[in-house]
C-alpha cells in the first residue's frame, strides 16, 4: 500500500489490524499484529489470513465482501475477529480485519501471576516472623534479638507494599518539556562504572534535530534505565559487548519520535518474549521482582506511546519506544493541571 496517510492510519490504530483482498490475501497490516502473533513482516506479507490464523475464514470474507456487511465477535482459536468491507470509492476491494486475544488469555492470566508473585514475596518475611514468635513462646521469655527480627521483617513487608503502590500509579505524571538526549545521557552516566567494569561499548546515534518534548522525566528515566540494565545483564556472557542507543523521527506514525536500545546479548527464547510484559515473570533472573518491563510498558502507554521488542536467541535484543512529539499532557487523564 503506497498511500502514506493510509499507512499512518493503520499504524496508529490501538489494536491489531490486517487488510486483505477479496481472496483473503493480506497486503497490509500494522506492527501491533506482528506483536500479537509474534510473527515478522516477512512472514505475514502476502499470506492468506486463513493460513496466518490457522482457521478457514474464506466463507466469512466472501460474505463480508459480497454482501457488504460487517461481522463482529467471530471467535477463531484464541482470537476474536471483526471483519468489515474495505472500500475504494464505491467498490469493495477486500476486508479489514481487527484481531484481539480472547479475554481469558490476557488480564485474568496476568492478574493470577501477579497474585502468586505477591504471595511469594510476602511468604518469606512472614515465615521468619512466625519462627521467631514460636521460639519466644517456647522459651517463655522476652528476647530482644528475636523481637528485632520480627520488627525487621514487618518493615520489609511495608517497604514491599510501598514499592507496589508507587510502582503501579502510572496516571499521576509530572509533565515538563525536556531534552530527550539529555535524559539519555543522564541514564548512561549512572551506568558509567558498570560499563567500564564489564567492558561494554556504548554507541550513541542521536538525531540532533529532535525538539524538546513533554515527558515525565523521572518516569521516562526509569524506563530507559530498566532497559539499559536488561541489556547489561544480557551481555554477561556475550563475546561482543555492545549497546547501541538511537533516536530519530518515526516514519510511522507521523508526529512520533523513537528511542531504540539494541544489544548484542544472548537474546530471548520465544516463551520469554511472549511473557516479557507479564508482572512477576522473572525466568532466568536471580534478582528483581519481575515488574520492570510491565512498569515500563505502562509508563510509555501513559505517555501516549508504545513499546516494541524484537529478540532472537543468540543474536541480541532490540527495544523500540515510540513517543509523541506533541503535547500529549493535554489529553485529559495524564494532565497534572
Amino acid at each position: 500500500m503506497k498511500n502514506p496517510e493510509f499507512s499512518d492510519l493503520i499504524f496508529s490504530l490501538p489494536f491489531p489490524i490486517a487488510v486483505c483482498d477479496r481472496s483473503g490475501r493480506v497486503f497490509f497490516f500494522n506492527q501491533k499484529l506482528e506483536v500479537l502473533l509474534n510473527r515478522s513482516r516477512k512472514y505475514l506479507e502476502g499470506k492468506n489470513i486463513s493460513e496466518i490464523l490457522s482457521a478457514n475464514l474464506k466463507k466469512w470474507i466472501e460474505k463480508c465482501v459480497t454482501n457488504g456487511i460487517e461481522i463482529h465477535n467471530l471467535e477463531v482459536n484464541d482470537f476474536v475477529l471483526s471483519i468489515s468491507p474495505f472500500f475504494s470509492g464505491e467498490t469493495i476491494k477486500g476486508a479489514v480485519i481487527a484481531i484481539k486475544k480472547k479475554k481469558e488469555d490476557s488480564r485474568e492470566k496476568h492478574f493470577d501471576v501477579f497474585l502468586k508473585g505477591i504471595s511469594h514475596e510476602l511468604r518469606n518475611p512472614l515465615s521468619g516472623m512466625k519462627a521467631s514468635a514460636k521460639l519466644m513462646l517456647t522459651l517463655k521469655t522476652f528476647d530482644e534479638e528475636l523481637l528485632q527480627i520480627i520488627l525487621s521483617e514487618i518493615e520489609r513487608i511495608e517497604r514491599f507494599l510501598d514499592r507496589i503502590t508507587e510502582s503501579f500509579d502510572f496516571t499521576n505524571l509530572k509533565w515538563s518539556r525536556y531534552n530527550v538526549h539529555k535524559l539519555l545521557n543522564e541514564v548512561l552516566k549512572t551506568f558509567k562504572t558498570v560499563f567500564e567494569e564489564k567492558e561494554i561499548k556504548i554507541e550513541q546515534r542521536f538525531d540532533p534535530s529532535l525538539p524538546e518534548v513533554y515527558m515525565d522525566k523521572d518516569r521516562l528515566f526509569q524506563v530507559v534505565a530498566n532497559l539499559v540494565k536488561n541489556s547489561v545483564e544480557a551481555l554477561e556472557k556475550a563475546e561482543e559487548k555492545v549497546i547501541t542507543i538511537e533516536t530519530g523521527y518515526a516514519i510511522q506514525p507521523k508526529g512520533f519520535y523513537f528511542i531504540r536500545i539494541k544489544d548484542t546479548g544472548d537474546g530471548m527464547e520465544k516463551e520469554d518474549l511472549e511473557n516479557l510484559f507479564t508482572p512477576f515473570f522473572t525466568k532466568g533472573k536471580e534478582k528483581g521482582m519481575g515488574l520492570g518491563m510491565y512498569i515500563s510498558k505502562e509508563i510509555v502507554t501513559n505517555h501516549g506511546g508504545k513499546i516494541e521488542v524484537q529478540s532472537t536467541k543468540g543474536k541480541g535484543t532490540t527495544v523500540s519506544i515510540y513517543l509523541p512529539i506533541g503535547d500529549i499532557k493535554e489529553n485529559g487523564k495524564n494532565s497534572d493541571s
Side-chain angles (χ1 to χ4, degrees):
M1 176 60 65
K2 301 295 184 182
N3 188 324
E5 292 184 358
F6 176 83
S7 301
D8 288 343
L9 173 63
I10 297 299
F11 183 93
S12 303
L13 291 174
F15 41 78
I17 285 287
V19 185
C20 59
D21 61 21
R22 296 177 69 94
S23 69
R25 184 183 63 85
V26 174
F27 63 85
F28 200 86
F29 49 89
N30 59 9
Q31 288 180 312
K32 294 180 181 68
L33 183 64
E34 295 179 64
V35 174
L36 176 68
L37 300 179
N38 194 28
R39 294 289 190 177
S40 67
R41 175 168 295 275
K42 184 177 179 181
Y43 173 85
L44 295 172
E45 208 157 32
K47 277 192 170 60
N48 195 286
I49 190 65
S50 294
E51 180 184 355
I52 292 172
L53 298 180
S54 301
N56 188 359
L57 298 175
K58 182 179 179 181
K59 68 174 182 179
W60 297 107
I61 293 175
E62 286 182 351
K63 186 176 182 179
C64 172
V65 300
T66 302
N67 301 321
I69 61 173
E70 296 181 352
I71 299 167
H72 296 287
N73 299 319
L74 176 63
E75 294 192 8
V76 174
N77 297 326
D78 295 331
F79 307 103
V80 178
L81 313 183
S82 292
I83 307 175
S84 304
F86 174 54
F87 285 92
S88 178
E90 297 182 356
T91 304
I92 298 176
K93 294 289 187 179
V96 178
I97 304 176
I99 306 169
K100 65 179 180 180
K101 276 271 192 180
K102 288 183 179 177
K103 288 183 179 179
E104 59 266 27
D105 292 331
S106 54
R107 291 184 180 271
E108 293 174 8
K109 176 183 174 182
H110 289 184
F111 188 65
D112 180 59
V113 176
F114 173 75
L115 290 178
K116 288 178 180 177
I118 288 182
S119 175
H120 173 77
E121 290 291 329
L122 295 179
R123 191 175 299 278
N124 288 339
L126 288 174
S127 295
M129 292 164 60
K130 184 178 180 181
S132 298
K134 278 187 173 182
L135 187 54
M136 280 202 295
L137 284 173
T138 301
L139 296 173
K140 298 186 185 302
T141 182
F142 175 81
D143 189 305
E144 186 175 349
E145 185 177 351
L146 291 176
L147 188 59
Q148 187 60 47
I149 291 174
I150 292 175
L151 290 174
S152 177
E153 293 300 278
I154 290 174
E155 290 172 356
R156 179 179 164 190
I157 291 174
E158 289 176 339
R159 288 195 301 272
F160 170 75
L161 294 176
D162 286 342
R163 289 202 304 273
I164 291 292
T165 302
E166 181 181 351
S167 296
F168 282 82
D169 183 10
F170 308 111
T171 57
N172 186 25
L173 299 180
K174 297 177 175 61
W175 295 97
S176 63
R177 277 195 178 276
Y178 205 67
N179 186 299
V180 66
H181 298 142
K182 183 177 180 181
L183 177 81
L184 294 176
N185 283 320
E186 288 170 358
V187 173
L188 294 176
K189 186 177 180 180
T190 64
F191 284 90
K192 183 179 179 181
T193 304
V194 176
F195 296 149
E196 292 174 352
E197 288 178 354
K198 297 183 179 292
E199 298 181 332
I200 296 173
K201 180 182 178 182
I202 303 299
E203 294 184 353
Q204 296 176 229
R205 301 173 184 172
F206 294 168
D207 184 338
S209 67
L210 282 180
E212 286 191 343
V213 293
Y214 274 103
M215 66 171 76
D216 182 326
K217 63 180 181 180
D218 291 334
R219 285 295 199 179
L220 207 55
F221 182 102
Q222 181 182 356
V223 172
V224 177
N226 178 65
L227 298 180
V228 171
K229 178 179 71 68
N230 288 347
S231 290
V232 169
E233 292 174 355
L235 292 171
E236 192 67 38
K237 299 179 181 179
E239 293 183 8
E240 182 185 16
K241 297 185 177 183
V242 181
I243 297 176
T244 303
I245 302 182
E246 182 182 4
T247 66
Y249 290 92
I251 297 175
Q252 292 180 322
K254 291 180 180 177
F256 279 65
Y257 69 97
F258 67 82
I259 301 171
R260 186 165 293 131
I261 301 174
K262 180 180 180 180
D263 65 62
T264 56
D266 193 37
M268 287 181 276
E269 300 281 0
K270 182 179 178 182
E271 179 191 359
D272 298 346
L273 193 58
E274 290 175 348
N275 289 282
L276 188 60
F277 298 107
T278 303
F280 294 103
F281 184 80
T282 58
K283 182 179 177 181
K285 290 188 178 182
E286 295 179 358
K287 298 180 179 180
M289 295 164 58
L291 291 172
M293 289 304 293
Y294 173 80
I295 291 171
S296 295
K297 182 179 179 181
E298 292 298 314
I299 291 172
V300 170
T301 299
N302 275 273
H303 274 75
K306 63 178 290 187
I307 183 168
E308 296 178 350
V309 182
Q310 295 176 316
S311 186
T312 303
K313 189 63 179 175
K315 295 185 178 180
T317 299
T318 300
V319 182
S320 300
I321 302 170
Y322 296 91
L323 293 164
I325 294 174
D327 190 356
I328 188 68
K329 78 184 185 71
E330 293 183 352
N331 282 358
K333 69 173 185 176
N334 292 336
S335 175
D336 63 344
S337 59

